[in-house]
Protein backbone atom coordinates (compact mmCIF):
# COMPACT_ATOMS: atom_id res chain seq x y z
CA UNK A 1 0.00 0.00 0.00
CA UNK A 2 3.03 2.25 0.32
CA UNK A 3 3.59 4.69 -2.50
CA UNK A 4 6.75 6.29 -3.63
CA UNK A 5 7.62 9.91 -4.19
CA UNK A 6 10.65 11.92 -5.06
CA UNK A 7 11.72 14.48 -2.54
CA UNK A 8 14.77 16.09 -1.02
CA UNK A 9 15.59 18.46 1.76
CA UNK A 10 17.08 18.08 5.23
CA UNK A 11 16.62 14.67 6.74
CA UNK A 12 15.05 13.24 3.58
CA UNK A 13 16.34 10.59 1.24
CA UNK A 14 18.78 11.72 -1.40
CA UNK A 15 17.19 13.90 -4.11
CA UNK A 16 15.72 11.82 -6.89
CA UNK A 17 15.48 8.65 -4.84
CA UNK A 18 12.14 6.91 -4.26
CA UNK A 19 10.85 7.30 -0.74
CA UNK A 20 8.13 5.09 0.72
CA UNK A 21 5.96 5.78 3.75
CA UNK A 22 8.21 3.98 6.22
CA UNK A 23 11.36 5.73 5.06
CA UNK A 24 9.57 9.06 5.01
CA UNK A 25 8.19 8.61 8.52
CA UNK A 26 11.52 7.74 10.14
CA UNK A 27 13.39 10.58 8.42
CA UNK A 28 10.77 13.33 8.15
CA UNK A 29 11.90 16.70 9.42
CA UNK A 30 15.35 15.64 10.57
CA UNK A 31 18.08 18.27 10.30
CA UNK A 32 21.24 17.78 8.28
CA UNK A 33 23.62 15.51 10.23
CA UNK A 34 26.28 17.27 12.28
CA UNK A 35 29.16 15.38 13.85
CA UNK A 36 28.61 14.70 17.56
CA UNK A 37 25.07 16.06 17.44
CA UNK A 38 21.96 13.89 17.98
CA UNK A 39 19.93 12.74 14.99
CA UNK A 40 16.85 14.47 16.42
CA UNK A 41 17.90 17.37 18.67
CA UNK A 42 16.24 17.54 22.06
CA UNK A 43 13.44 20.01 22.85
CA UNK A 44 14.43 23.67 23.01
CA UNK A 45 13.00 25.25 26.17
CA UNK A 46 13.13 28.98 25.59
CA UNK A 47 10.77 31.87 26.18
CA UNK A 48 13.22 34.25 24.54
CA UNK A 49 16.40 34.11 22.46
CA UNK A 50 19.50 36.27 22.33
CA UNK A 51 18.54 39.13 20.03
CA UNK A 52 21.00 42.04 19.89
CA UNK A 53 20.27 44.81 17.42
CA UNK A 54 17.37 44.65 14.98
CA UNK A 55 14.90 41.75 15.50
CA UNK A 56 15.84 39.68 12.45
CA UNK A 57 16.16 35.94 12.02
CA UNK A 58 13.79 33.03 12.65
CA UNK A 59 13.77 32.92 16.46
CA UNK A 60 12.94 35.98 18.50
CA UNK A 61 10.30 35.08 21.08
CA UNK A 62 8.89 31.76 22.23
CA UNK A 63 5.27 32.44 21.25
CA UNK A 64 6.29 33.09 17.64
CA UNK A 65 8.72 30.31 16.76
CA UNK A 66 10.75 27.53 18.33
CA UNK A 67 13.40 25.29 16.71
CA UNK A 68 11.60 22.17 17.98
CA UNK A 69 8.38 23.28 16.28
CA UNK A 70 10.30 23.97 13.08
CA UNK A 71 11.54 20.39 12.78
CA UNK A 72 8.10 18.95 13.58
CA UNK A 73 6.39 21.28 11.10
CA UNK A 74 8.84 20.24 8.43
CA UNK A 75 8.05 16.59 9.19
CA UNK A 76 4.29 17.13 9.01
CA UNK A 77 4.59 18.96 5.69
CA UNK A 78 6.67 16.11 4.27
CA UNK A 79 4.04 13.57 5.32
CA UNK A 80 0.99 15.53 4.17
CA UNK A 81 2.48 16.62 0.84
CA UNK A 82 5.61 14.63 -0.03
CA UNK A 83 7.66 16.06 -2.83
CA UNK A 84 5.57 19.22 -3.09
CA UNK A 85 7.15 22.64 -2.82
CA UNK A 86 5.52 25.57 -1.08
CA UNK A 87 3.51 23.58 1.47
CA UNK A 88 3.62 25.01 4.98
CA UNK A 89 2.71 23.32 8.24
CA UNK A 90 1.93 24.98 11.56
CA UNK A 91 1.63 23.11 14.86
CA UNK A 92 -0.75 24.00 17.67
CA UNK A 93 -1.44 23.15 21.29
CA UNK A 94 -4.34 20.84 20.39
CA UNK A 95 -6.47 19.64 17.53
CA UNK A 96 -9.19 22.11 18.46
CA UNK A 97 -6.67 24.95 18.40
CA UNK A 98 -5.77 23.92 14.85
CA UNK A 99 -9.42 23.70 13.80
CA UNK A 100 -10.21 27.06 15.37
CA UNK A 101 -7.23 28.69 13.68
CA UNK A 102 -8.63 27.96 10.22
CA UNK A 103 -12.23 28.87 11.05
CA UNK A 104 -11.49 32.12 12.84
CA UNK A 105 -8.68 33.28 10.57
CA UNK A 106 -10.58 32.73 7.32
CA UNK A 107 -14.13 33.78 8.25
CA UNK A 108 -15.58 37.23 8.82
CA UNK A 109 -18.97 38.58 9.83
CA UNK A 110 -21.39 37.99 6.97
CA UNK A 111 -19.53 34.91 5.67
CA UNK A 112 -21.05 31.45 5.42
CA UNK A 113 -19.37 28.22 6.47
CA UNK A 114 -20.57 24.68 5.79
CA UNK A 115 -19.82 22.14 8.52
CA UNK A 116 -20.55 18.41 8.74
CA UNK A 117 -23.61 17.68 10.87
CA UNK A 118 -22.08 14.34 11.87
CA UNK A 119 -18.59 15.56 12.67
CA UNK A 120 -16.58 15.98 15.84
CA UNK A 121 -18.85 16.51 18.83
CA UNK A 122 -17.42 19.96 19.65
CA UNK A 123 -18.85 21.41 16.45
CA UNK A 124 -22.13 22.49 18.10
CA UNK A 125 -20.07 24.69 20.42
CA UNK A 126 -18.07 25.95 17.45
CA UNK A 127 -21.29 26.75 15.60
CA UNK A 128 -22.65 28.77 18.50
CA UNK A 129 -19.43 30.78 18.72
CA UNK A 130 -19.30 31.45 14.98
CA UNK A 131 -22.90 32.63 14.99
CA UNK A 132 -22.18 35.14 17.77
CA UNK A 133 -19.68 36.69 15.35
CA UNK A 134 -22.30 37.05 12.63
CA UNK A 135 -21.17 34.06 10.57
CA UNK A 136 -23.86 31.89 9.00
CA UNK A 137 -23.38 28.19 9.68
CA UNK A 138 -24.95 25.51 7.50
CA UNK A 139 -24.66 21.79 8.17
CA UNK A 140 -25.22 18.57 6.26
CA UNK A 141 -24.12 14.95 6.70
CA UNK A 142 -20.85 13.64 5.34
CA UNK A 143 -22.34 10.66 3.50
CA UNK A 144 -23.63 11.07 -0.02
CA UNK A 145 -21.70 14.33 -0.44
CA UNK A 146 -24.73 16.02 1.11
CA UNK A 147 -22.77 19.18 1.90
CA UNK A 148 -22.97 20.04 -1.79
CA UNK A 149 -26.66 20.82 -1.30
CA UNK A 150 -25.92 23.70 1.09
CA UNK A 151 -22.69 24.96 -0.46
CA UNK A 152 -23.99 27.88 -2.51
CA UNK A 153 -22.23 31.14 -1.63
CA UNK A 154 -20.17 29.71 1.24
CA UNK A 155 -16.76 31.14 2.07
CA UNK A 156 -15.46 27.90 3.60
CA UNK A 157 -16.40 24.22 3.34
CA UNK A 158 -15.27 21.98 6.19
CA UNK A 159 -15.01 18.25 5.49
CA UNK A 160 -14.40 15.46 7.99
CA UNK A 161 -13.74 12.23 6.17
CA UNK A 162 -13.98 9.60 7.50
CA UNK A 163 -16.39 11.23 9.91
CA UNK A 164 -16.07 10.78 13.64
CA UNK A 165 -17.65 8.65 15.01
CA UNK A 166 -19.92 7.37 12.20
CA UNK A 167 -17.13 6.67 9.66
CA UNK A 168 -18.96 8.04 6.64
CA UNK A 169 -16.81 9.18 3.72
CA UNK A 170 -17.36 11.93 1.16
CA UNK A 171 -15.80 12.39 -2.27
CA UNK A 172 -13.16 15.03 -1.55
CA UNK A 173 -12.28 15.65 -5.20
CA UNK A 174 -15.92 16.20 -6.16
CA UNK A 175 -16.59 18.56 -3.28
CA UNK A 176 -13.37 20.50 -3.86
CA UNK A 177 -14.19 20.95 -7.54
CA UNK A 178 -17.65 22.30 -6.76
CA UNK A 179 -16.34 24.54 -3.99
CA UNK A 180 -13.47 26.02 -5.97
CA UNK A 181 -15.76 26.69 -8.93
CA UNK A 182 -17.53 29.29 -6.79
CA UNK A 183 -14.47 30.55 -4.89
CA UNK A 184 -15.05 28.54 -1.70
CA UNK A 185 -12.10 27.39 0.38
CA UNK A 186 -11.98 23.75 1.51
CA UNK A 187 -10.52 22.38 4.74
CA UNK A 188 -10.33 18.65 5.43
CA UNK A 189 -10.00 17.17 8.89
CA UNK A 190 -7.49 14.38 8.31
CA UNK A 191 -7.28 13.14 11.89
CA UNK A 192 -8.76 9.71 11.48
CA UNK A 193 -7.02 8.90 8.20
CA UNK A 194 -3.58 10.36 9.04
CA UNK A 195 -1.30 11.49 6.19
CA UNK A 196 -0.47 7.84 5.53
CA UNK A 197 -4.11 7.10 4.85
CA UNK A 198 -5.15 10.20 2.93
CA UNK A 199 -3.59 13.41 1.62
CA UNK A 200 -6.21 16.14 1.33
CA UNK A 201 -3.87 18.64 -0.34
CA UNK A 202 -3.25 16.16 -3.16
CA UNK A 203 -7.03 15.82 -3.49
CA UNK A 204 -7.25 19.59 -4.01
CA UNK A 205 -8.09 20.87 -0.53
CA UNK A 206 -6.75 24.22 0.63
CA UNK A 207 -6.09 23.05 4.20
CA UNK A 208 -5.38 19.70 5.80
CA UNK A 209 -6.08 19.90 9.53
CA UNK A 210 -5.65 17.25 12.19
CA UNK A 211 -5.40 16.45 15.84
CA UNK A 212 -1.91 15.09 16.38
CA UNK A 213 -3.19 13.80 19.72
CA UNK A 214 -4.56 10.75 17.94
CA UNK A 215 -2.80 8.26 15.68
CA UNK A 216 -0.13 10.63 14.39
CA UNK A 217 1.62 10.50 17.76
CA UNK A 218 -0.14 7.35 18.88
CA UNK A 219 0.81 6.98 22.54
CA UNK A 220 -1.97 8.84 24.31
CA UNK A 221 0.44 11.23 26.03
CA UNK A 222 0.49 14.34 23.82
CA UNK A 223 -2.06 17.04 23.00
CA UNK A 224 -1.21 18.55 19.61
CA UNK A 225 -2.75 19.84 16.40
CA UNK A 226 -1.57 21.03 13.01
CA UNK A 227 -2.64 22.85 9.87
CA UNK A 228 -1.03 22.44 6.46
CA UNK A 229 -1.65 24.46 3.33
CA UNK A 230 0.09 25.79 0.24
CA UNK A 231 -1.46 29.27 -0.09
CA UNK A 232 0.99 31.66 1.56
CA UNK A 233 -1.59 34.34 2.32
CA UNK A 234 -4.07 31.93 3.87
CA UNK A 235 -1.37 30.29 5.99
CA UNK A 236 -0.08 33.69 7.09
CA UNK A 237 -3.55 34.39 8.49
CA UNK A 238 -3.49 31.06 10.33
CA UNK A 239 -0.05 31.87 11.73
CA UNK A 240 -1.24 35.31 12.83
CA UNK A 241 -4.19 33.76 14.64
CA UNK A 242 -1.84 31.37 16.47
CA UNK A 243 0.29 34.32 17.58
CA UNK A 244 -2.67 36.41 18.72
CA UNK A 245 -4.32 33.72 20.85
CA UNK A 246 -1.10 32.00 21.89
CA UNK A 247 -2.30 28.52 20.90
CA UNK A 248 1.24 27.17 20.77
CA UNK A 249 2.50 23.71 21.72
CA UNK A 250 5.09 23.17 24.40
CA UNK A 251 8.53 22.16 23.13
CA UNK A 252 8.39 18.86 24.99
CA UNK A 253 5.07 17.96 23.34
CA UNK A 254 6.45 18.93 19.94
CA UNK A 255 9.56 16.82 20.47
CA UNK A 256 7.55 13.81 21.66
CA UNK A 257 5.33 14.12 18.60
CA UNK A 258 8.29 14.21 16.23
CA UNK A 259 9.90 11.23 17.94
CA UNK A 260 6.63 9.28 17.68
CA UNK A 261 6.20 9.93 13.96
CA UNK A 262 9.18 7.64 13.30
CA UNK A 263 6.97 4.61 14.07
CA UNK A 264 3.85 5.94 12.33
CA UNK A 265 3.96 3.58 9.37
CA UNK A 266 4.58 0.56 11.58
CA UNK A 267 1.73 1.48 13.91
CA UNK A 268 -0.71 2.41 11.17
CA UNK A 269 -0.19 -0.76 9.19
CA UNK A 270 -0.54 -2.98 12.26
CA UNK A 271 -3.59 -1.14 13.58
CA UNK A 272 -5.35 -0.97 10.22
CA UNK A 273 -4.84 -4.67 9.54
CA UNK A 274 -6.18 -5.55 12.98
CA UNK A 275 -9.12 -3.18 12.56
CA UNK A 276 -10.10 -5.02 9.40
CA UNK A 277 -9.78 -8.38 11.16
CA UNK A 278 -11.94 -7.13 14.02
CA UNK A 279 -14.57 -5.76 11.66
CA UNK A 280 -14.69 -9.08 9.82
CA UNK A 281 -15.17 -10.93 13.10
CA UNK A 282 -17.92 -8.55 14.23
CA UNK A 283 -19.84 -9.14 10.98
CA UNK A 284 -20.59 -12.65 12.19
CA UNK A 285 -22.18 -11.54 15.46
CA UNK A 286 -26.00 -11.29 15.37
CA UNK A 287 -26.13 -8.77 18.23
CA UNK A 288 -23.92 -6.32 16.31
CA UNK A 289 -25.72 -3.87 14.01
CA UNK A 290 -24.65 -0.77 12.16
CA UNK A 291 -21.10 -2.05 11.74
CA UNK A 292 -18.91 0.48 9.93
CA UNK A 293 -15.34 0.23 8.72
CA UNK A 294 -14.39 1.76 5.35
CA UNK A 295 -12.02 -1.12 4.65
CA UNK A 296 -14.83 -3.66 4.49
CA UNK A 297 -15.74 -4.31 0.84
CA UNK A 298 -19.46 -4.07 1.62
CA UNK A 299 -19.21 -0.92 3.74
CA UNK A 300 -21.30 1.94 2.27
CA UNK A 301 -18.17 4.12 2.15
CA UNK A 302 -15.77 1.56 0.72
CA UNK A 303 -16.03 2.54 -2.95
CA UNK A 304 -15.28 6.21 -2.41
CA UNK A 305 -12.75 5.50 0.33
CA UNK A 306 -10.80 3.16 -1.93
CA UNK A 307 -10.54 5.92 -4.55
CA UNK A 308 -9.00 8.51 -2.22
CA UNK A 309 -7.58 6.66 0.78
CA UNK A 310 -4.46 4.53 0.92
CA UNK A 311 -5.30 3.10 4.36
CA UNK A 312 -8.68 2.97 6.05
CA UNK A 313 -7.92 3.86 9.66
CA UNK A 314 -7.90 2.13 13.02
CA UNK A 315 -11.46 2.91 14.16
CA UNK A 316 -14.40 0.51 13.93
CA UNK A 317 -17.91 1.52 14.99
CA UNK A 318 -20.93 -0.64 15.76
CA UNK A 319 -24.09 -0.74 17.83
CA UNK A 320 -25.16 -3.21 20.51
CA UNK A 321 -28.85 -3.71 21.31
CA UNK A 322 -29.03 -1.56 24.46
CA UNK A 323 -27.08 0.87 26.57
CA UNK A 324 -26.80 -1.74 29.31
CA UNK A 325 -25.41 -4.32 26.89
CA UNK A 326 -22.82 -1.86 25.58
CA UNK A 327 -21.74 -0.86 29.09
CA UNK A 328 -21.42 -4.49 30.16
CA UNK A 329 -19.47 -5.34 27.01
CA UNK A 330 -17.00 -2.55 27.71
CA UNK A 331 -16.68 -3.66 31.33
CA UNK A 332 -15.84 -7.24 30.31
CA UNK A 333 -13.02 -6.27 27.94
CA UNK A 334 -9.59 -7.05 29.36
CA UNK A 335 -7.23 -5.75 26.68
CA UNK A 336 -9.18 -2.59 25.89
CA UNK A 337 -9.37 0.61 27.97
CA UNK A 338 -12.75 2.31 28.37
CA UNK A 339 -11.56 5.75 27.34
CA UNK A 340 -12.23 8.51 24.87
CA UNK A 341 -9.91 9.52 22.00
CA UNK A 342 -8.53 7.08 19.44
CA UNK A 343 -5.43 6.10 17.53
CA UNK A 344 -3.23 4.94 20.40
CA UNK A 345 -1.11 1.81 20.59
CA UNK A 346 -3.38 0.55 23.37
CA UNK A 347 -6.90 -0.25 22.18
CA UNK A 348 -9.69 1.89 23.57
CA UNK A 349 -13.45 1.79 23.24
CA UNK A 350 -16.36 3.78 24.57
CA UNK A 351 -20.09 4.17 24.38
CA UNK A 352 -20.26 7.48 22.57
CA UNK A 353 -23.77 8.29 23.74
CA UNK A 354 -22.46 9.01 27.23
CA UNK A 355 -21.19 12.40 26.04
CA UNK A 356 -24.49 13.53 24.60
CA UNK A 357 -22.97 15.33 21.62
CA UNK A 358 -23.24 12.67 18.92
CA UNK A 359 -26.46 11.61 17.18
CA UNK A 360 -25.88 7.91 17.79
CA UNK A 361 -27.91 5.10 19.40
CA UNK A 362 -27.43 4.45 23.12
CA UNK A 363 -25.63 1.20 22.35
CA UNK A 364 -23.22 2.75 19.82
CA UNK A 365 -19.57 1.83 20.42
CA UNK A 366 -16.55 3.54 18.91
CA UNK A 367 -13.65 1.11 19.01
CA UNK A 368 -10.07 2.25 18.43
CA UNK A 369 -7.82 -0.67 17.53
CA UNK A 370 -4.35 -0.61 19.04
CA UNK A 371 -1.14 -2.53 18.40
CA UNK A 372 -1.95 -5.66 20.37
CA UNK A 373 -1.63 -9.06 18.70
CA UNK A 374 -4.65 -9.34 16.38
CA UNK A 375 -5.61 -12.80 17.62
CA UNK A 376 -5.55 -11.67 21.25
CA UNK A 377 -7.61 -8.56 20.60
CA UNK A 378 -10.26 -10.28 18.49
CA UNK A 379 -10.54 -13.08 21.04
CA UNK A 380 -10.95 -10.55 23.85
CA UNK A 381 -13.76 -8.75 21.99
CA UNK A 382 -15.61 -11.97 21.15
CA UNK A 383 -15.29 -13.20 24.73
CA UNK A 384 -16.63 -9.86 26.07
CA UNK A 385 -19.57 -10.09 23.68
CA UNK A 386 -20.35 -13.59 24.92
CA UNK A 387 -20.09 -12.62 28.59
CA UNK A 388 -22.16 -9.46 28.16
CA UNK A 389 -25.00 -11.56 26.73
CA UNK A 390 -25.49 -13.39 30.05
Amino acid sequence: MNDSATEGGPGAAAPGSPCGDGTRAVRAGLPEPVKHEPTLPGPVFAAHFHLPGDPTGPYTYGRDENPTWTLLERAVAELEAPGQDGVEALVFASGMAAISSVLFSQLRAGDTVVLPSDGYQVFPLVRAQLETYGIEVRTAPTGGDAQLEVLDGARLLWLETPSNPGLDVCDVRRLVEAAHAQGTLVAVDNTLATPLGQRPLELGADFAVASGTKQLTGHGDVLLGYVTGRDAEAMAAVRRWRKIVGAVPGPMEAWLAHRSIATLQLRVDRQNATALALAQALRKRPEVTGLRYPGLPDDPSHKIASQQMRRYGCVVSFTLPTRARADLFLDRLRLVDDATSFGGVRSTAERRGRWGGDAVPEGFVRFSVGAEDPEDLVADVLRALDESAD
Side-chain angles (χ1 to χ4, degrees), residues 40-119:
L40 176 63
V44 175
F45 298 101
H48 60 266
F49 302 84
H50 287 295
L51 194 65
D54 293 334
T56 59
Y59 305 111
T60 58
Y61 184 63
R63 191 182 68 248
D64 298 330
E65 290 290 351
N66 178 288
T68 309
W69 304 352
T70 299
L71 297 179
L72 174 59
E73 289 170 343
R74 184 185 299 161
V76 169
E78 290 174 11
L79 293 175
E80 284 282 0
Q84 297 185 35
D85 295 328
V87 173
E88 181 178 4
L90 296 170
V91 292
F92 291 80
S94 68
M96 274 310 303
I99 290 171
S100 299
S101 74
V102 174
L103 293 172
F104 292 106
S105 70
Q106 304 302 312
L107 297 170
R108 303 288 185 271
D111 285 344
T112 297
V113 61
V114 176
L115 302 178
S117 59
D118 54 345

Side-chain angles (χ1 to χ4, degrees), residues 200-218:
L201 298 183
E202 291 185 357
L203 299 174
D206 300 286
F207 301 99
V209 186
S211 168
T213 308
K214 311 300 193 298
Q215 197 171 20
L216 185 83
T217 56

Side-chain angles (χ1 to χ4, degrees), residues 286-306:
E287 70 270 52
V288 170
T289 60
L291 175 66
R292 297 299 304 272
Y293 183 66
L296 286 172
D298 59 351
D299 186 272
S301 294
H302 180 74
K303 181 178 180 180
I304 297 174
S306 64

Side-chain angles (χ1 to χ4, degrees), residues 22-43:
T23 303
R24 186 176 300 114
V26 300
R27 302 205 60 82
L30 297 182
E32 295 287 359
V34 176
K35 189 175 182 178
H36 306 308
E37 293 294 325
T39 304
L40 176 63

